[in-house]
């Protein structure tokens, strides 16, 4: 598909953090871009991101008092629930990784070429290395994800790591379906599987 649009891809610099709990002090980024006018809103969603000891740490915070949370098992249709997602890609590669989580911590994780192309789901062993810590509060829920970078075939010891990606909030079967993103998407219909619209993500070493 040819795109005749010009949009500003977002960029993100990810600092090292001293411990997993230090993610709470990382800068806050908003997942609030409305890409399709027929889905104009959604729960207020932010994320914080850092890296520690060879892993990427991401904490999502969602202002939502009663999230839909039907799916209990990994590799189920968590995108139908109140769901947060992050897609990551190594620059220059065709394949990308998608990680999707509901408020229970149930996860879909895979590498793929497109939404329905070349899909390779994570094995149980790979999923076991993907730490998820969901917390449900009165009017919000959070989930903190610890993703070992070697699951992306990334050398965590590199001085600087370049990635491309996007962060999302969705809920296909929630009371008010919604499809929000961190970096804008220009497509006719809701579709997060669009690496062409990924933003730039740079992980800095401890030395800066």
């Amino acid at each position: 598909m040819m795109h005749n649009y010009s949009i500003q891809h977002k960029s993100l610099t990810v600092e090292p953090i001293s411990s997993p709990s230090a993610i709470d002090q990382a800068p806050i980024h908003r997942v609030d871009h409305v890409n399709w006018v027929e889905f104009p809103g959604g729960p207020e969603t932010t994320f914080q991101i850092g890296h520690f000891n060879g892993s990427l740490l991401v904490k999502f915070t969602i202002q939502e008092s009663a999230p839909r949370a039907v799916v209990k098992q990994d590799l189920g249709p968590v995108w139908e629930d109140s769901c947060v997602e992050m897609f990551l890609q190594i620059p220059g590669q065709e394949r990308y990784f998608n990680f999707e989580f509901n408020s229970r911590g149930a996860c879909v994780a895979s590498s793929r070429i497109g939404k329905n192309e070349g899909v390779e789901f994570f094995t149980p062993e790979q999923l076991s290395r993907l730490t998820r810590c969901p917390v449900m509060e009165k009017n919000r829920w959070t989930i903190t994800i610890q993703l070992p970078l070697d699951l992306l075939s990334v050398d965590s010891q590199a001085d600087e790591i370049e990635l491309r990606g996007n962060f999302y909030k969705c809920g296909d079967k929630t009371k008010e379906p919604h499809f929000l993103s961190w970096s804008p998407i220009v497509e006719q219909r809701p579709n997060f599987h669009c690496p062409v619209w990924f933003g730039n993500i740079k992980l800095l070493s401890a030395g800066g």
Side-chain angles (χ1 to χ4, degrees), residues 42-110:
E44 180 180 330
T45 304
T46 61
F47 70 94
Q48 295 161 280
I49 185 169
H51 67 93
F52 168 77
N53 197 27
S55 291
L56 195 65
L57 275 290
V58 181
K59 181 178 182 178
F60 286 94
T61 300
I62 305 91
Q63 304 299 326
E64 192 174 22
S65 59
R68 186 183 193 272
V70 174
V71 178
K72 299 179 181 179
Q73 301 296 325
D74 287 345
L75 303 183
V78 296
W79 59 89
E80 296 178 352
D81 287 345
S82 184
C83 179
V84 292
E85 306 184 3
M86 57 181 182
F87 289 15
L88 299 168
Q89 183 182 47
I90 298 170
Q93 293 194 5
E94 185 178 23
R95 301 189 71 85
Y96 62 93
F97 297 85
N98 69 295
F99 302 93
E100 311 176 14
F101 308 88
N102 69 5
S103 61
R104 292 178 180 268
C107 171
V108 169
S110 69

Side-chain angles (χ1 to χ4, degrees), residues 88-95 154 161-164 200-201:
L88 299 168
Q89 183 182 47
I90 298 170
Q93 293 194 5
E94 185 178 23
R95 301 189 71 85
V154 168
I161 297 170
E162 300 278 355
L163 295 171
R164 301 183 67 249
N200 301 308
I201 303 169

Side-chain angles (χ1 to χ4, degrees), residues 3 5 7-10 31 33-37 85 87 165-169 179-199:
H3 296 280
Y5 304 96
I7 65 170
Q8 182 65 45
H9 293 267
K10 285 196 173 180
V31 181
H33 197 87
V34 174
N35 301 286
W36 299 282
V37 294
E85 306 184 3
F87 289 15
N166 210 343
F167 302 83
Y168 312 102
K169 175 70 184 77
F179 304 92
L180 302 172
S181 67
W182 163 69
S183 193
I185 302 168
V186 182
E187 298 289 334
Q188 290 185 342
R189 297 180 180 85
N191 183 9
F192 291 161
H193 292 265
C194 302
V196 67
W197 305 121
F198 284 178

